[in-house]
Amino acid sequence: MRCEALGLALIASVLVVSCSRKDRGTQRVAIPPFENLATPELNWMSHGFAEAVRLQLAGSPHIEPVPISALRDAPAVGASQVLEGRFSLRGGRLHVEAVLEDAVRVRDLGTIRASGPVGELLPLAQVIARGIDPGARPLPTSNPQAFEAYIAAIRATDPAAADAGFDRAVGADPEFGVAYLAWTQSLTARGEGARAARVLAAAREKAAGFQAIERARLDLAGSVLAGDRAGERRALIALMGADPADASVYRRLSDLDAAAHSYRDAAAFCQRAFEREPAEVLLLNQLGYQRAWAGDLDGALEALERYRSQRPAEANPIDSRGDVYYWFGRFAEAEQAYREAYAKDTSFEGGAEPYKIAWTRLMQGDLKGADASFAEFLQARKSAGDSLVEYRQAQWEHLTGRHQDAFARLERFASSARLAEASLSYAQLAVWLVEAGDGQRARDYAAKASAPLPVVLLVRFLTQPPTTAAEWSARAASAFPAPAQAGFRGLALAYALLLSHDFAAAVGPLQQICDATEPSSPDWPAVPLAWALIETGKVDRVPPLLSGNRAPNPAAESPLQSLIFPRALYVHAAVAARQGRRDEAQADLKLFSRYGG
C-alpha cells in the first residue's frame, strides 16, 4: 500500500477524534455505507469504505463495529456511536470524510479526512479506521482487486454472482481469510453444506497467512458446520481473545454453557455480553434466570433489580423476580412480585399473573385463595375468547385433587367441543386414566382424539399396552422415525417407560431430555427424572437443579402436566428428608397427599 503520503492526515485525524471523546467502555459503532458524492461508477465504494473500516476495527478491545444498511438502523442495533462517511472527487483525487457521532447525546465527536488517488480506497480507509482507533489492525488484504471482488460478492443478490465474486477475491489474494469466511457463510445460508465444507478446506490450507480473528472464525465456522459444540466453544474462546469487544461471542458462549447446564459459566458470559451491550437490557433478564439456576438467589435478584431500574414502567422484570423466588421455593415473595407485576400491567403475558398467583397460594397450602386467583385468570381468558376455559378448569381441579369433578367436567366439554378442543380433552382424559392404571379405558378415550395434534399422537403412543423397555424403544422408533422427530421420540419413550413404572429404564431417556433443555422449557422433565431416580433408590443423585420449582406458565399447559404436579411435592419431600430437613419434608408430603386425590 502507498500510505506514506497520508501520514500527516492520519496524525491529524487521530488527534481530532481521540481528544474529543471520553472512554466510556466498549463502544458499539454503527457504520452505514458511505455517501457517494463522486460518480455512479464508484458506487461500490459506498460499501467498500464502510466494510474496510469495519474490518480494521474488528479486534479492537473497546470498539465493536456493526454494519448497517442505513443510518436509520443505528438505534435498532443498539449503537452508542455512528460513523457517517462520504467521498467525492476533487481535481481528479478521491476525498473521503467521516464524522464520528455520539448516538445517545447526538453530537459530533470528531471528523476524519483524507485524500489520495482514485484507486487508493484501502489506504484511505486505513486513515479513517486509525482515526477512530490508532491501534486498528491492518486490513485482511492489501490487494485492491481482491477487495473490490469481495465487495461485489457480499452485495450480490444472485448466488452465481456471489460465488464468482468470492472466487475472484480469493484468486487475487489466496490469503484473504475474510473472503473465504463470507463465502462459507453464503453457501451455508443457501443450504449448500458440502460446498461450504470444500471452501473451508481450501481456507485451512492458507490459514497460516490469516490474521488471528480470521483463524478463530475459520475454526468456528468449521465446528458449526460439523455440529461440534465442544469445538465451537473452543473456537469462541479463541475468538474472545482475538476480538474481545464482540458481544455476540459472549452471547453464544452463554447459550452454549446454558445448554450444558453450566449456569454459573453461562451467567458470567452473559454478564460480559451486557457490559459490551448495555442497551440490551433483556440480557439482564437472562442473567437473572441463569444465576437462579446456578443457585445464586442474591445474584439473580441483583440482575433483575438492575433490569427493573432501566425499565421501571415494564412488568417483565417484576414478573421475572417472582419466577426466581418461585424457583427457590420462596412462594410468599413470589406471590408479592406477581401481584406487583399485575398491578403494573394487567395484560402482561396475556393476563398470566393471576394464574401464577394461584400457584403460589397452592404451594402455601391455601386452596381457597388459589381457587379465587385461578377463577380470576379464567374470567380474563373467557373475556379474551379462549375456547379452552372449561378444559383449563378441569385440569386445575385434577391437579388439586378433585379428580371426579375434573373427569366429569372434561367429559361434558369434550362431547360438545369442536374437533381440536375435543381431541385435546380426550387426550387429557386418556392420560388421567393410564395414570390411574385403567389402560383399556385410556386407549378408548385416546381413540376418540381424532385431530392430528402432536400431543394427541403422543398420548395415543403412551396408551398402548405396556411392554418391555426394548419394545417401547422399538415402538418409538417406528412411530416417530424422522430425524426431525428425534426429540419427540425421546419424550415419548421416556414417558411411556415412566407410566409403565419401569423407572430404571426411564432414567436414561429422561436424563437426555433434561441435558438438552433449560428449566424454563415446558418439556424439561426434571420432576419425572427426579421421581425415577428416587424410585430406583438414587435420591442422592437428584442434583439441586432438579429440586427447583419451574415457574407456572399457562401457555405451557399440556395433558402431561399431571405427571409433574403434585408429584413435584413428593420429589421435594424426598430430597428434603435426605438432607435432614424433616419439617420441610413433612409439609411437602402433607400437600402431596392433599392434592394427590
Side-chain angles (χ1 to χ4, degrees):
M1 292 184 188
R2 298 192 297 275
C3 298
E4 294 83 358
L6 301 175
L8 292 177
L10 173 58
I11 295 172
S13 301
V14 172
L15 290 173
V16 169
V17 176
S18 63
C19 291
S20 62
R21 76 173 178 93
K22 295 180 180 179
D23 186 4
R24 291 185 284 121
T26 299
Q27 302 299 325
R28 173 167 272 208
V29 181
I31 309 176
F34 281 32
E35 184 180 5
N36 179 9
L37 301 177
T39 64
E41 289 78 11
L42 299 181
N43 277 344
W44 75 272
M45 288 188 176
S46 293
H47 290 82
F49 272 116
E51 179 66 1
V53 171
R54 183 193 72 81
L55 289 173
Q56 291 173 91
L57 294 178
S60 169
H62 302 297
I63 295 173
E64 181 183 6
V66 182
I68 57 176
S69 58
L71 186 61
R72 63 177 177 273
D73 298 329
V77 299
S80 57
Q81 296 177 352
V82 178
L83 184 70
E84 279 197 82
R86 59 191 62 86
F87 59 93
S88 60
L89 289 175
R90 301 177 198 167
R93 290 173 64 80
L94 186 63
H95 289 258
V96 59
E97 176 181 293
V99 179
L100 189 66
E101 302 170 348
D102 188 312
V104 179
R105 299 177 185 177
V106 193
R107 62 188 180 90
D108 292 354
L109 299 173
T111 302
I112 314 162
R113 299 182 180 89
S115 64
V118 175
E120 296 292 341
L121 180 148
L122 296 181
L124 295 179
Q126 181 178 331
V127 172
I128 303 299
R130 292 187 176 173
I132 298 169
D133 180 2
R137 69 171 182 151
L139 273 159
T141 183
S142 60
N143 186 305
Q145 289 77 31
F147 187 76
E148 185 172 352
Y150 163 72
I151 295 299
I154 63 174
R155 292 182 63 198
T157 56
D158 175 62
D163 290 341
F166 287 127
D167 191 49
R168 290 197 308 275
V170 299
D173 182 356
E175 295 184 346
F176 192 3
V178 169
Y180 283 109
L181 287 166
W183 196 358
T184 300
Q185 291 164 357
S186 175
L187 290 167
T188 302
R190 291 183 242 154
E192 299 187 48
R195 289 187 64 200
R198 289 197 293 271
V199 171
L200 275 175
R204 285 194 175 98
E205 295 179 1
K206 308 292 183 182
F210 296 176
Q211 294 184 31
I213 293 178
E214 278 68 54
R215 286 197 300 271
R217 291 197 181 278
L218 177 69
D219 291 340
L220 178 61
S223 298
V224 171
L225 198 61
D228 177 7
R229 288 201 166 188
E232 181 182 359
R233 192 179 190 279
R234 288 193 299 272
L236 286 165
I237 293 295
L239 187 56
M240 183 175 65
D243 194 2
D246 187 347
S248 68
V249 173
Y250 302 92
R251 279 176 175 261
R252 182 56 184 160
L253 282 166
S254 179
D255 290 343
L256 286 174
D257 283 343
H261 291 188
S262 299
Y263 289 113
R264 194 169 299 279
D265 290 337
F269 284 124
C270 187
Q271 171 68 34
R272 294 173 75 173
F274 177 71
E275 289 168 358
R276 287 153 180 81
E277 292 183 290
E280 296 294 328
V281 294
L282 284 177
L283 284 172
L284 291 172
N285 196 54
Q286 179 178 326
L287 178 61
Y289 283 104
Q290 289 176 346
R291 285 178 172 175
W293 297 334
D296 181 6
L297 173 60
D298 291 340
L301 295 176
E302 183 274 334
L304 294 174
E305 178 55 27
R306 278 193 285 159
Y307 177 23
R308 187 204 61 78
S309 68
Q310 295 195 44
R311 292 290 189 271
E314 296 180 6
N316 192 44
I318 308 169
D319 173 79
S320 296
R321 186 173 76 227
D323 289 350
V324 165
Y325 275 128
Y326 197 96
W327 174 262
F328 283 96
R330 304 271 287 267
F331 301 116
E333 290 99 325
E335 177 186 358
Q336 182 180 353
Y338 292 145
R339 291 189 184 279
E340 186 180 342
Y342 193 55
K344 180 77 69 175
D345 182 1
T346 58
S347 66
F348 177 71
E349 293 284 318
E353 298 308 311
Y355 178 87
K356 292 187 171 188
I357 293 167
W359 277 92
T360 63
R361 298 311 308 165
L362 195 68
M363 297 299 282
Q364 294 175 79
D366 179 13
L367 181 56
K368 183 177 179 180
D371 281 345
S373 291
F374 195 81
E376 184 179 359
F377 164 71
L378 286 184
Q379 183 57 49
R381 296 308 308 152
K382 187 175 181 179
S383 298
D386 188 348
S387 61
L388 289 172
V389 168
E390 283 295 293
Y391 171 83
R392 297 182 192 279
Q393 178 69 60
Q395 270 199 326
W396 176 256
E397 288 171 342
H398 191 276
L399 291 169
T400 52
R402 293 162 285 191
H403 292 181
Q404 290 183 350
D405 292 343
F407 204 95
R409 180 186 298 276
L410 203 52
E411 272 196 314
R412 289 194 303 271
F413 175 65
S415 66
S416 60
R418 295 176 301 182
L419 178 63
E421 288 85 352
S423 293
L424 188 62
S425 300
Y426 285 126
Q428 179 66 87
L429 291 165
V431 170
W432 291 343
L433 286 166
V434 77
E435 283 185 86
D438 193 342
Q440 184 55 57
R441 286 184 70 204
R443 287 187 284 278
D444 292 342
Y445 275 92
K448 294 182 180 182
S450 55
L453 303 171
V455 71
V456 169
L457 299 177
L458 178 60
V459 169
R460 285 182 176 176
F461 177 83
L462 296 177
T463 53
Q464 295 179 77
T467 185
T468 64
E471 179 58 29
W472 273 122
S473 181
R475 286 180 181 178
S478 175
F480 311 107
Q485 295 177 306
F488 202 66
R489 181 167 60 248
L491 192 70
L493 174 60
Y495 280 112
L497 293 169
L498 196 71
L499 286 168
S500 299
H501 287 189
D502 191 345
F503 297 108
V507 167
L510 288 167
Q511 184 70 64
Q512 288 181 354
I513 301 169
C514 270
D515 289 344
T517 52
E518 288 193 348
S520 58
S521 169
D523 292 331
W524 193 58
V527 170
L529 173 57
W531 176 23
L533 288 170
I534 291 167
E535 294 298 331
T536 52
K538 300 173 182 175
V539 64
D540 56 314
R541 282 187 53 196
V542 179
L545 188 62
L546 299 187
S547 300
N549 301 279
R550 187 175 71 84
N553 179 3
E557 291 175 340
S558 84
L560 300 180
Q561 191 176 10
S562 56
L563 293 177
I564 309 299
F565 190 86
R567 184 66 57 181
L569 294 165
Y570 168 77
V571 167
H572 294 154
V575 173
R578 177 75 178 184
Q579 297 174 349
R581 296 178 280 123
R582 298 185 54 144
D583 291 346
E584 184 179 334
Q586 289 176 356
D588 283 335
L589 281 176
K590 183 178 180 180
L591 288 179
F592 174 60
S593 177
R594 181 180 181 187
Y595 300 143

